[in-house]
Amino acid sequence: MLANLTRTQDYVLKRISSFDETGGNADRRQIPPGQTLVLADQAGPGTISHIWITISSPEPQHLKKLVLRMYWDDEASPSVETPIGDFFGLGLGDYFQYQSYPLAVAADKALNSFFPMPFQRHARITVTNEGQNQVGAFYFNIDCRLYRSPLPADTLYFHAQYRQAAPAKGWTSDWKRNGDALVDKKPNLKGEDNYVWMEAAGRGHFVA
């Protein structure tokens, strides 16, 4: 990586953040219940390389109640739509620290994403408060590379969607544990009545 420091690049770096636009030190945003905060509204071509967020909220389930959405190239439906906690790997709605290559949760509830997120014409990122309490402080940094030339035509876009079904439909609920004869001895070679958790078309990569 350091070897690239001796070479010119075809992009400029930009940080979009919750900095205090008055020049003070109130580097945060508030989100009342039912309101949407626009984190980024950026012209392309570019690639988001890092997202950092930390939240102070009295809402006990704010990781579930804050919905993150991302739109690429002025699309009507979001390519990313998920509770903010689930996006950052906190699917149970509680904070815990961990580190992986694309995602990490650090001390002080610091949420980090390092997934590359390219966009050709435009990127828009929002957070909607679907809880009952106001988010007192929402801090964020979004780092992106803005290119002088269009992205390659075969560039793949980032998508993430949240799904939940309770109860999930199945062919039976008459079992108590794995290994019960009713379910353990019944073959299902065609996947009949299995829960469909993803259905997609086109070319791309699935990241688990």
Side-chain angles (χ1 to χ4, degrees), residues 47 61 99-100 110 114 120 122 134 141 148 166 175 185 201:
T47 298
Q61 290 293 314
Q99 186 169 351
S100 68
F114 299 95
Q120 193 74 265
H122 187 262
Q134 175 168 284
N141 292 323
R148 298 180 177 89
W175 64 285
K185 303 299 183 180

Side-chain angles (χ1 to χ4, degrees), residues 100-121:
S100 68
Y101 195 75
L103 295 169
V105 178
D108 298 323
K109 302 179 179 179
L111 311 174
N112 291 272
S113 167
F114 299 95
F115 279 110
M117 304 177 188
F119 53 97
Q120 193 74 265
R121 299 189 305 275

Side-chain angles (χ1 to χ4, degrees), residues 69-201:
R69 294 182 174 91
M70 303 183 190
Y71 305 80
W72 314 128
D73 297 346
D74 303 311
E75 60 191 352
S77 299
S79 288
V80 174
E81 188 172 32
T82 171
I84 201 165
D86 291 82
F87 181 86
F88 287 99
L90 303 177
L92 298 179
D94 292 322
Y95 286 93
F96 62 89
Q97 294 184 34
Y98 76 93
Q99 186 169 351
S100 68
Y101 195 75
L103 295 169
V105 178
D108 298 323
K109 302 179 179 179
L111 311 174
N112 291 272
S113 167
F114 299 95
F115 279 110
M117 304 177 188
F119 53 97
Q120 193 74 265
R121 299 189 305 275
H122 187 262
R124 179 178 173 85
I125 302 176
T126 68
V127 170
T128 300
N129 182 1
E130 296 187 356
Q132 300 299 314
N133 298 301
Q134 175 168 284
V135 176
F138 190 98
Y139 302 86
F140 65 90
N141 292 323
I142 300 174
D143 298 320
C144 58
R145 297 178 176 182
L146 301 179
Y147 298 98
R148 298 180 177 89
S149 302
L151 300 176
D154 60 351
T155 298
L156 301 177
Y157 280 49
F158 180 85
H159 294 76
Q161 293 286 326
Y162 175 82
R163 294 289 185 272
Q164 177 177 322
K169 180 181 181 296
W171 64 269
T172 183
S173 60
D174 187 20
W175 64 285
K176 292 182 170 51
R177 63 187 63 84
N178 291 331
D180 282 2
L182 178 65
V183 294
D184 196 43
K185 303 299 183 180
K186 179 179 174 63
N188 187 5
L189 300 179
K190 296 183 179 180
E192 183 179 358
D193 286 328
N194 284 352
Y195 179 74
V196 178
W197 59 271
M198 186 179 77
E199 186 172 357

